[in-house]
Amino acid sequence: QLQLVESGGGLVQSGGSLRLSCEASGDTLEYHSVGWSRQTPGKEHEGVSCISVSGGNTNYADSVKGRFTISRDDAKRTVSLEMNNLKPEDTAVYYCAAARTNTDFVTSESRIDFWGQGTQVTVSS
């Protein structure tokens, strides 16, 4: 059973940067597609970014394209999300997620098998 633990959230000013990390344990990460989702109070989860099993394909929500970059290091069992030029509307709890098959988390979260507990990102204006 794959367990995911996020870190790296915090408070940052508008225009600043943060790097989120997700560490996997309990199983190898290399056969899972992985990604990030976020949620603000009263709103549904929003798929932010995902990366395929091979690492060769990535996808991003339109709201973060050009600002966020996802990467994975299977040897270290980590997934990272580099977030630049942050905006107040990026404020949310960010969740790491994984699926046993190649899954586009941005368009649908129905095939996600594992979730982390979330890390808060707050962007002040």
Side-chain angles (χ1 to χ4, degrees):
Q1 189 81 351
L2 194 66
Q3 288 96 44
L4 305 170
V5 178
E6 304 94 336
S7 61
L11 174 64
V12 64
Q13 289 188 332
S14 181
S17 298
L18 280 176
R19 183 180 179 89
L20 303 183
S21 292
C22 173
E23 184 172 353
S25 62
D27 194 1
T28 179
L29 190 62
E30 63 181 309
Y31 301 117
H32 298 80
S33 58
V34 290
W36 294 87
S37 176
R38 65 187 182 186
Q39 187 173 30
T40 55
K43 293 186 178 180
E44 294 183 353
H45 268 250
E46 175 191 13
V48 174
S49 180
C50 58
I51 186 166
S52 63
V53 172
S54 69
N57 294 296
T58 58
N59 195 21
Y60 298 90
D62 288 342
S63 57
V64 307
K65 277 181 182 176
R67 300 188 296 122
F68 289 13
T69 303
I70 190 171
S71 60
R72 63 187 294 161
D73 185 334
D74 291 343
K76 295 182 179 179
R77 297 189 179 186
T78 60
V79 184
S80 298
L81 186 69
E82 185 74 32
M83 307 186 294
N84 297 315
N85 190 21
L86 283 161
K87 305 175 181 180
E89 51 263 43
D90 293 318
T91 296
V93 177
Y94 284 71
Y95 297 88
C96 180
R100 295 186 183 94
T101 58
N102 270 324
T103 296
D104 186 344
F105 296 6
V106 176
T107 58
S108 174
E109 298 185 341
S110 63
R111 293 168 62 188
I112 291 175
D113 298 300
F114 307 100
W115 291 94
Q117 84 288 350
T119 185
Q120 176 71 45
V121 171
T122 303
V123 184
S124 63
S125 57

